[in-house]
């Protein structure tokens, strides 16, 4: 076995990592495992399937029941895709309000105001 960085063959055993023998390169100090396992995770096909199901309206826990992918993982994928989307188009600014005088007659004719004008008490 040789070091993946320096291509050195001067390695020493350095404990175990996840059940496999760990080695230490004496020249560069890097630690490595002889036969590293294949990368963990889900394939792109599974990821696209989960996202497609989510977009079609199924909840994250339903997707978990159907595909076996944990609901938190599905939500993390949704967030990652959402961050890549462009910002939403901002709507046109709302028009300025100009007809406030129309409400004035209603404000001045409350029942309490009429009672006070006649000399009544609250």
């Amino acid at each position: 076995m040789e070091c993946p960085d320096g291509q050195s063959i001067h390695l020493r055993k350095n404990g175990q990592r996840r059940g496999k023998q760990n080695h230490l390169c004496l020249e560069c100090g890097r630690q490595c495992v002889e036969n590293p396992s294949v990368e963990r995770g889900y394939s792109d096909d599974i990821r696209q399937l989960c996202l497609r199901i989510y977009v079609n309206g199924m909840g994250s826990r339903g997707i978990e029941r159907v595909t076996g992918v944990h609901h938190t993982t599905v939500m993390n994928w949704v967030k990652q895709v959402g961050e890549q989307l462009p910002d939403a188009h901002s709507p046109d600014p709302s028009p300025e309000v100009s007809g406030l005088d129309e409400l004035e007659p209603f404000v001045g004719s409350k029942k309490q105001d009429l009672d006070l004008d006649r000399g009544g008490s609250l």
Side-chain angles (χ1 to χ4, degrees):
M1 180 177 165
E2 57 185 37
C3 177
D5 279 350
Q7 306 300 328
S8 172
I9 58 171
H10 302 320
L11 298 173
R12 179 180 68 193
K13 289 183 178 181
N14 192 31
Q16 291 192 352
R17 183 170 178 92
R18 296 185 184 170
K20 292 189 174 188
Q21 181 64 53
N22 196 19
H23 297 279
L24 177 68
C25 178
L26 297 176
E27 291 182 12
C28 69
R30 177 179 172 171
Q31 295 186 38
C32 58
V33 178
E34 187 168 354
N35 293 321
S37 61
V38 181
E39 286 190 34
R40 299 181 319 176
Y42 296 100
S43 67
D44 289 337
D45 294 336
I46 295 291
R47 182 177 175 152
Q48 289 177 359
L49 175 67
C50 291
L51 291 172
R52 194 174 307 123
I53 293 172
Y54 182 81
V55 168
N56 285 323
M58 185 180 279
S60 59
R61 290 186 187 264
I63 295 171
E64 179 180 8
R65 286 189 293 271
V66 171
T67 62
V69 178
H70 197 268
H71 63 275
T72 305
T73 304
V74 173
M75 293 313 298
N76 287 336
W77 290 343
V78 170
K79 287 178 186 177
Q80 287 173 357
V81 170
E83 289 172 356
Q84 295 174 359
L85 293 175
D87 291 335
H89 175 70
S90 60
D92 294 332
S94 59
E96 293 183 23
V97 178
S98 61
L100 289 177
D101 292 342
E102 297 173 5
L103 298 176
E104 189 174 341
F106 297 108
V107 174
S109 64
K110 287 185 179 178
K111 186 174 183 180
Q112 289 179 352
D113 291 341
L114 292 175
D115 288 342
L116 291 176
D117 289 342
R118 294 181 188 157
S121 61
L122 291 174

